[in-house]
């Protein structure tokens, strides 16, 4: 569904297969076909792609040392200002939690945003319990 996570010309995956399998297992327990119906496959793919994208953002060069590992693991906010002299960057983390209340980190990738949008539609409407 998303070739950007598949193997490149040298057979190297952007996200290790074992990590993709972990996210597939996670999606299988989280996205219920009985709730999503015909959107289930789309939801599964968006869920997995979201976590693969977050994983790819958090990967650090093992030779980069502790600072590189810490930097890769930090939450990403929206840059609100930047400077060059004496290096200064301001981040706004409020964008992560606004707009899609309750969906928080799903806003960090386009895949998560799509899943949250469809999820809101799937979750709408009344339910009849008998």
């Amino acid at each position: 569904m998303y070739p950007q996570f598949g193997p490149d010309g040298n057979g190297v995956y952007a996200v290790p297969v074992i990590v993709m399998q972990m996210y597939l297992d996670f999606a299988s327990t989280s996205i219920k076909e009985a709730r999503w119906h015909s959107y289930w496959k789309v939801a599964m793919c968006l869920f997995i792609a979201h976590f693969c994208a977050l994983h790819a953002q958090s990967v650090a060069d093992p030779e980069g040392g502790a600072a590189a590992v810490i930097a890769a693991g930090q939450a990403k906010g929206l840059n609100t200002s930047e400077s060059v002299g004496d290096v200064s960057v301001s981040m706004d983390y409020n964008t992560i939690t606004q707009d899609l209340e309750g969906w928080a980190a799903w806003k960090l990738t386009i895949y998560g945003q799509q899943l949250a949008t469809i999820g809101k539609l799937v979750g709408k409407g009344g339910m009849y319990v008998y």
Side-chain angles (χ1 to χ4, degrees):
M1 195 72 171
Y2 300 104
Q4 60 270 37
F5 298 116
D8 62 12
N10 298 321
V12 177
Y13 285 80
V15 175
V17 174
I18 193 167
V19 172
M20 285 192 265
Q21 182 63 54
M22 176 184 67
Y23 292 137
L24 173 63
D25 295 342
F26 187 26
S28 293
T29 61
S30 302
I31 307 290
K32 298 298 178 194
E33 187 173 6
R35 180 70 173 165
W36 288 79
H37 303 288
S38 62
Y39 288 100
W40 178 75
K41 288 181 183 175
V42 172
M44 289 287 289
C45 291
L46 289 170
F47 186 102
I48 295 164
H50 169 74
F51 281 102
C52 284
L54 290 178
H55 174 81
Q57 291 174 11
S58 67
V59 173
D61 179 5
E63 303 298 321
V69 172
I70 291 169
Q74 288 179 326
K76 309 293 189 263
L78 177 65
N79 282 1
T80 56
S81 69
E82 296 180 11
S83 299
V84 176
D86 292 326
V87 185
S88 174
V89 176
S90 297
M91 300 283 234
D92 179 7
Y93 293 96
N94 290 330
T95 58
I96 296 171
T97 58
Q98 290 176 352
D99 202 16
L100 293 172
E101 293 238 351
W103 292 88
W106 295 102
K107 287 186 60 182
L108 296 176
T109 70
I110 192 65
Y111 312 109
Q113 291 171 19
Q114 291 175 59
L115 180 64
T117 301
I118 295 169
K120 283 181 154 188
L121 294 172
V122 168
K124 286 217 181 279
M127 302 261 314
Y128 178 74
V129 179
Y130 58 97

